[in-house]
Amino acid sequence: MRFLKCLPLLFALTQAKYVVQNWEITYVTTNRGLDQPPKRGVGVNNQFPLPVIRAELGDVLILNVHNSLDVPTSLHAHGIFQRETNYYDGVYMVTECGIAPGSNFTYEIPLEQSGTYWIHGHTAEQNYDGLQTPLIIYDPNDPYPVDQEYLFAVEDWWPITIQETLEILQEPGGLGSPFVYPPQTLINGEYGNLTQPMHFEPGKTYRIRLVSMMNLPLWEFALDDHEMYVIEVDGVLTKPKLVNVVRLSPGQRVSVLIKAKESIRRNYQYHVTVLDDYVPLIPGVYPAQFDGAVVYHPDAPVDIAQIIPSERFDEMSIESLDYEPALVPDRSIFQNLTYGFTKDEIPSETINLISYRNSKVPSLLSALTTGDRALNPITYGPQTNTQVFKHNDVIEMLLWSPTQLPHPMHLHGHTFQIVETGYTNDTTGEFRRRVPSSDYSPLKRDTVHVPQGEYVVVRFRAYRGVWA
């Protein structure tokens, strides 16, 4: 019987198409074409930007990696569940030891989800220095067919390395600020002011994929005088939702559908606006606006909008396409997302007043080799803040952000329903928002932005594995 059960899987694997990428992870000294000093970044095959990876549902992604850095590296496919391939999740000292300098490793990832994702370094924040690229997985039977699509992958490029940034942030009393060396914005690997036009043809439907590879700021996408419908959030299809603008925080992805106009008598503009509400105002950096052309005819005049919309992304008003009512939790946990100082007055971000530190042994190895002790969170080290869940239990997680910093929160191996939002100082519940308990399919996503002074409640069904 065991042999017979394996036959369908074996057949499926033999039919899969292999999408092979050969990556030598290297240092690349560059300013990415920006008006700032060059720095040592982390690229692939001695170049930037990294190649966009495109595949189809059911393919197998093969990443043959050689590490030419002088430190370990690893890669995480952000948003990919990695069901039964937990060991390819790429989290340093959680699911792997990292790829040692001068050594090779191959990630073999079955692509069982369609949608918009990205791959990035998950050791020593190497994505900060450029190790990141979009991953697009197409579904031949996508319920939202389109005539053409465009991709906007937006990232902030800092003129100092992550190591230099961390040294500044670790100055006693929180007096160090990396904004002395402000970043610039790249769109699809180029300076934002060089953003390319979109060419529209009358009556056609376009999908715009938005990928936030930012380290810090938020950004918005808007297109003048066109209706824009959200149809995908973090790889999860949604019911169409008409919006004026899409706001994304680090790690988030959104797809929108836009129906072109019937006339070619006018051209229009789209806008990428970088913003944040807790960092210092730096002219041309925070906020910054980059305008691109939407071309119907090369000789047509351009309609210039007087007002560019800006608003929060209302996750509570968007439903996932596949109906699943709000899950009923088996267990609830509280995650207090705080910013403060150590006894030496070094700034520190914590969850439940614990500042994360890597385990000395990868957590996945500990889970597989310690028997019953694997069920005790302390086995993985008190500094890891580990939670142990039962497989298939529904977990309700309250993400509480009472201090002056917002927190983008990502859960590996899962999507979660967003079921409640509110303010941490709202003692009456006047501003609390909850999704209906029936006849409603709460939005599912894998990365949520928790603004300062607010909270978000999410629910998910735990799947076996070791996840970050």
Side-chain angles (χ1 to χ4, degrees):
M1 290 294 293
R2 184 174 301 171
F3 178 73
L4 290 176
K5 288 180 181 178
C6 291
L7 280 178
L9 176 60
L10 179 62
F11 179 79
L13 288 176
T14 59
Q15 299 302 306
K17 182 180 71 177
Y18 290 90
V19 178
V20 180
Q21 298 281 318
N22 297 312
W23 281 14
E24 180 188 4
I25 297 179
T26 57
Y27 292 119
V28 182
T29 299
T30 178
N31 64 0
R32 304 290 297 273
L34 302 170
D35 184 19
Q36 62 185 35
K39 74 166 184 179
R40 190 175 76 167
V42 180
V44 165
N45 301 333
N46 294 300
Q47 64 182 14
F48 283 114
L50 277 62
V52 175
I53 300 177
R54 301 178 188 272
E56 286 193 356
L57 184 66
D59 290 349
V60 178
L61 174 62
I62 307 293
L63 284 170
N64 296 315
V65 180
H66 176 77
N67 181 11
S68 289
L69 309 179
D70 56 9
V71 294
T73 190
S74 64
L75 295 172
H76 169 60
H78 188 110
I80 299 300
F81 288 156
Q82 300 284 13
R83 300 288 163 87
E84 317 310 329
T85 52
N86 192 190
Y87 40 83
Y88 289 144
D89 201 38
V91 186
Y92 180 67
M93 298 312 291
V94 175
T95 60
E96 63 173 79
C97 295
I99 307 169
S103 65
N104 303 315
F105 187 78
T106 295
Y107 296 90
E108 189 168 334
I109 305 172
L111 301 179
E112 299 173 347
Q113 304 152 254
S114 62
T116 310
Y117 306 91
W118 61 305
I119 290 179
H120 60 84
H122 213 299
T123 297
E125 289 78 40
Q126 289 164 355
N127 58 297
Y128 183 98
D129 290 328
L131 187 55
Q132 53 189 7
T133 192
L135 167 63
I136 311 300
I137 306 173
Y138 298 97
D139 181 357
N141 300 310
D142 196 305
Y144 295 113
V146 297
D147 297 294
Q148 190 178 344
E149 67 174 46
Y150 287 94
L151 171 67
F152 288 82
V154 180
E155 59 185 302
D156 48 342
W157 180 259
W158 296 71
I160 55 177
T161 66
I162 183 60
Q163 289 80 12
E164 293 168 319
T165 300
L166 292 175
E167 289 173 6
I168 293 172
L169 290 173
Q170 294 300 303
E171 291 184 14
L175 300 178
S177 172
F179 298 106
V180 175
Y181 310 96
Q184 296 291 338
T185 298
L186 299 173
I187 301 175
N188 296 334
E190 294 187 311
Y191 179 45
N193 280 336
L194 302 177
T195 184
Q196 299 299 306
M198 292 193 292
H199 294 272
F200 279 14
E201 295 182 30
K204 289 191 173 181
T205 300
Y206 295 84
R207 180 173 185 159
I208 314 297
R209 295 182 188 264
L210 310 173
V211 183
S212 181
M213 304 193 304
M214 291 288 202
N215 294 286
L216 188 62
L218 311 178
W219 63 281
E220 294 177 332
F221 178 87
L223 197 155
D224 297 338
D225 199 24
H226 287 69
E227 290 189 342
M228 188 163 62
Y229 290 88
V230 172
I231 53 99
E232 179 217 350
V233 174
D234 291 356
V236 179
L237 292 176
T238 70
K239 296 180 180 180
K241 173 66 177 180
L242 180 64
V243 295
N244 297 313
V245 61
V246 175
R247 181 179 295 183
L248 300 96
S249 74
Q252 294 183 330
R253 296 89 61 209
V254 173
S255 285
V256 295
L257 288 189
I258 298 174
K259 183 71 175 293
K261 294 182 176 295
E262 296 297 337
S263 170
I264 61 171
R265 290 180 297 178
R266 291 189 178 276
N267 296 325
Y268 301 87
Q269 287 186 315
Y270 66 83
H271 313 280
V272 172
T273 304
V274 179
L275 70 156
D276 227 317
D277 55 1
Y278 71 99
V279 298
L281 294 177
I282 304 174
V285 179
Y286 301 122
Q289 180 180 309
F290 306 98
D291 303 321
V294 180
V295 179
Y296 281 86
H297 190 281
D299 298 325
V302 179
D303 261 5
I304 304 296
Q306 299 302 309
I307 298 176
I308 299 171
S310 176
E311 61 189 32
R312 294 173 60 159
F313 191 69
D314 186 8
E315 293 156 319
M316 301 293 284
S317 68
I318 301 175
E319 292 187 67
S320 293
L321 183 61
D322 290 339
Y323 178 70
E324 182 182 50
L327 297 169
V328 177
D330 298 300
R331 179 180 171 187
S332 297
I333 63 172
F334 174 74
Q335 302 285 69
N336 188 18
L337 316 175
T338 57
Y339 172 83
F341 298 88
T342 68
K343 59 185 177 73
D344 299 320
E345 295 195 6
I346 302 298
S348 177
E349 290 190 68
T350 67
I351 296 179
N352 295 339
L353 302 180
I354 297 174
S355 185
Y356 179 82
R357 296 292 183 271
N358 287 324
S359 297
K360 295 185 180 297
V361 175
S363 301
L364 180 58
L365 181 60
S366 297
L368 293 172
T369 60
T370 56
D372 290 343
R373 286 180 295 167
L375 302 178
N376 187 343
I378 203 66
T379 297
Y380 307 94
Q383 78 286 352
T384 65
N385 207 3
T386 296
Q387 300 277 349
V388 177
F389 304 137
K390 292 181 181 179
H391 177 60
N392 271 336
D393 267 7
V394 174
I395 309 301
E396 179 179 82
M397 186 180 296
L398 170 57
L399 303 170
W400 185 268
S401 183
T403 56
Q404 68 267 37
L405 288 183
H407 294 83
M409 301 297 292
H410 171 54
L411 179 62
H412 291 215
H414 302 75
T415 54
F416 43 70
Q417 296 178 331
I418 298 178
V419 299
E420 183 178 330
T421 62
Y423 293 87
T424 58
N425 63 355
D426 178 15
T427 57
T428 65
E430 179 182 357
F431 300 101
R432 179 174 58 199
R433 298 178 67 194
R434 289 175 172 169
V435 298
S437 58
S438 62
D439 299 323
Y440 190 85
S441 187
L443 177 67
K444 290 184 288 189
R445 68 182 318 169
D446 59 53
T447 306
V448 65
H449 182 70
V450 188
Q452 58 270 48
E454 299 186 32
Y455 72 87
V456 177
V457 179
V458 303
R459 293 177 188 165
F460 62 95
R461 188 175 299 278
Y463 194 87
R464 60 177 174 266
V466 177
W467 311 104

